[in-house]
C-alpha cells in the first residue's frame, strides 16, 4: 500500500507556502491522491506493479492519482529549503536558456488552468527543457527526467496570494532548493531515466518490492 510521504520541511516555517496552505495542500489534496491510488490499484491489472510502471503505463483515474502523488512528492523537495545551485547546473542553464528565470516564470505564469511547470532533462537530445503540463501530466511519461517543478494548481497558492499567481511564483523562485535540483541533474546525467526510478524507490520503498522487471525492483 502506498503511503503519504513525510514532508521534507517544517510546515510552520516554509518560505514558499504558509502552514495553512500546507495543511490543505499536503494534508488533504496530496493525501487524497494517495488514498485514491490505493483504492484504484488494488483490483487493477497493476496491483502487483511497481510505482514507476504504474506512472508510465496506467491510464485514466489510476494514472491521474499516481502522477499527482509523484508530482507532489517532487514539488515538496523543490521547496524544502533555500539552497545554492551547483556550478554544473548553472552552466547548463546558461547554455540552454538566454534567461532561465524569466523563461521559467513566464511559462509558469501563462500556463492556462491547472497544472505544473517543469525544468526537465531530455536524455535523447541531452538538453534541458522548460515544460508545461496540464492537470496531472508529467514529463516522465515522455521519457524526460524532472529536475524542478512548481505546482500552479490554484490550491497551491490561493490561500496565500489569492489569484496573484506571479507573486507566488516569485516567492517560489527565490526559495528553490537548488541543492536537490542540482543532485537531480547530476543523477540524470549519470543514470538517465533510472534516476526517476531511484527517486521513487527512495520516497516510496513500500512499493519497491513489487515485481515489474525494471531496475527499481528491490
Amino acid at each position: 500500500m502506498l503511503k503519504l510521504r513525510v514532508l521534507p520541511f517544517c510546515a510552520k516555517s516554509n518560505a514558499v507556502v504558509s502552514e495553512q496552505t500546507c495543511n490543505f495542500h499536503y494534508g488533504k489534496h496530496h493525501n487524497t491522491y494517495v488514498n485514491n491510488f490505493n483504492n484504484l490499484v488494488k483490483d487493477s491489472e497493476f496491483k502487483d506493479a511497481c510505482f514507476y510502471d504504474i506512472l508510465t503505463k496506467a491510464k485514466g483515474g489510476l494514472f491521474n492519482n499516481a502522477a499527482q502523488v509523484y508530482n507532489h512528492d517532487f514539488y515538496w523537495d523543490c521547496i524544502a529549503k533555500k539552497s545554492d545551485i551547483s556550478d554544473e547546473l548553472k552552466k547548463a542553464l546558461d547554455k540552454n536558456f538566454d534567461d532561465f528565470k524569466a523563461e521559467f516564470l513566464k511559462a509558469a505564469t501563462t500556463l492556462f488552468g491547472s497544472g505544473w511547470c517543469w525544468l526537465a532533462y531530455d536524455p535523447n537530445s541531452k538538453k534541458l527543457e522548460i515544460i508545461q503540463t496540464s492537470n496531472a501530466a508529467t514529463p516522465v511519461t515522455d521519457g524526460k527526467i524532472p529536475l524542478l517543478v512548481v505546482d500552479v494548481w490554484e490550491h497551491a497558492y490561493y490561500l496565500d496570494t489569492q489569484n496573484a499567481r506571479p507573486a507566488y511564483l516569485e516567492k517560489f523562485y527565490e526559495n528553490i532548493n537548488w541543492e536537490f535540483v542540482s543532485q537531480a541533474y547530476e543523477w540524470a546525467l549519470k543514470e538517465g531515466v533510472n534516476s526517476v526510478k531511484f527517486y521513487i524507490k527512495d520516497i516510496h520503498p513500500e512499493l519497491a518490492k513489487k515485481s515489474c522487471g525494471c531496475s527499481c525492483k528491490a
Side-chain angles (χ1 to χ4, degrees):
M1 180 175 289
L2 188 69
K3 298 178 182 178
L4 179 67
R5 70 164 297 177
V6 175
L7 276 179
F9 56 83
C10 175
K12 294 182 178 181
S13 58
N14 187 267
V16 179
V17 293
S18 67
E19 182 180 7
Q20 183 184 27
T21 289
C22 261
N23 289 340
F24 280 94
H25 195 177
Y26 168 75
K28 295 187 182 298
H29 288 279
H30 193 175
N31 190 47
T32 296
Y33 295 130
V34 171
N35 291 334
N36 287 345
F37 172 88
N38 287 325
N39 289 330
L40 290 167
V41 77
K42 61 184 179 182
D43 295 319
S44 76
E45 62 182 294
F46 295 100
K47 62 182 180 180
D48 295 318
C50 71
F51 191 80
Y52 178 83
D53 262 15
I54 298 169
L55 181 63
T56 54
K57 297 178 181 178
K59 305 294 182 183
L62 181 56
F63 166 76
N64 287 335
N65 285 279
Q68 284 292 77
V69 170
Y70 171 81
N71 294 354
H72 281 86
D73 287 341
F74 208 83
Y75 170 70
W76 300 131
D77 281 319
C78 289
I79 64 169
K81 63 180 181 180
K82 182 177 181 177
S83 57
D84 295 329
I85 191 171
S86 68
D87 290 339
E88 184 177 25
L89 178 55
K90 187 177 186 305
K91 289 178 182 177
L93 291 177
D94 291 342
K95 179 180 179 181
N96 285 265
F97 306 100
D98 292 331
D99 184 338
F100 173 71
K101 178 182 178 180
E103 293 175 49
F104 184 82
L105 291 181
K106 180 180 179 180
T109 301
T110 59
L111 192 153
F112 183 77
S114 300
W116 306 80
C117 187
W118 308 78
L119 170 67
Y121 175 71
D122 185 337
N124 294 315
S125 68
K126 311 297 183 185
K127 293 182 178 180
L128 297 177
E129 301 178 4
I130 294 172
I131 300 173
Q132 296 174 319
T133 61
S134 296
N135 300 320
T138 172
V140 175
T141 57
D142 293 323
K144 309 291 177 66
I145 304 167
L147 306 180
L148 170 70
V149 69
V150 61
D151 187 344
V152 292
W153 283 66
E154 285 190 341
H155 63 241
Y157 58 87
Y158 213 86
L159 291 177
D160 296 337
T161 63
Q162 285 72 58
N163 63 325
R165 184 190 289 184
Y168 156 69
L169 292 173
E170 283 288 346
K171 186 181 293 186
F172 167 87
Y173 198 90
E174 292 305 312
N175 292 281
I176 290 173
N177 184 8
W178 284 112
E179 180 182 344
F180 170 76
V181 181
S182 299
Q183 289 174 348
Y185 179 56
E186 180 182 349
W187 276 99
L189 294 177
K190 291 180 180 179
E191 301 291 342
V193 294
N194 279 333
S195 64
V196 179
K197 300 175 184 178
F198 297 152
Y199 174 78
I200 291 171
K201 182 178 178 180
D202 184 57
I203 299 296
H204 295 292
E206 68 273 15
L207 291 189
K209 294 184 179 180
K210 295 286 187 176
S211 177
C212 69
C214 73
S215 61
C216 61
K217 181 179 178 181

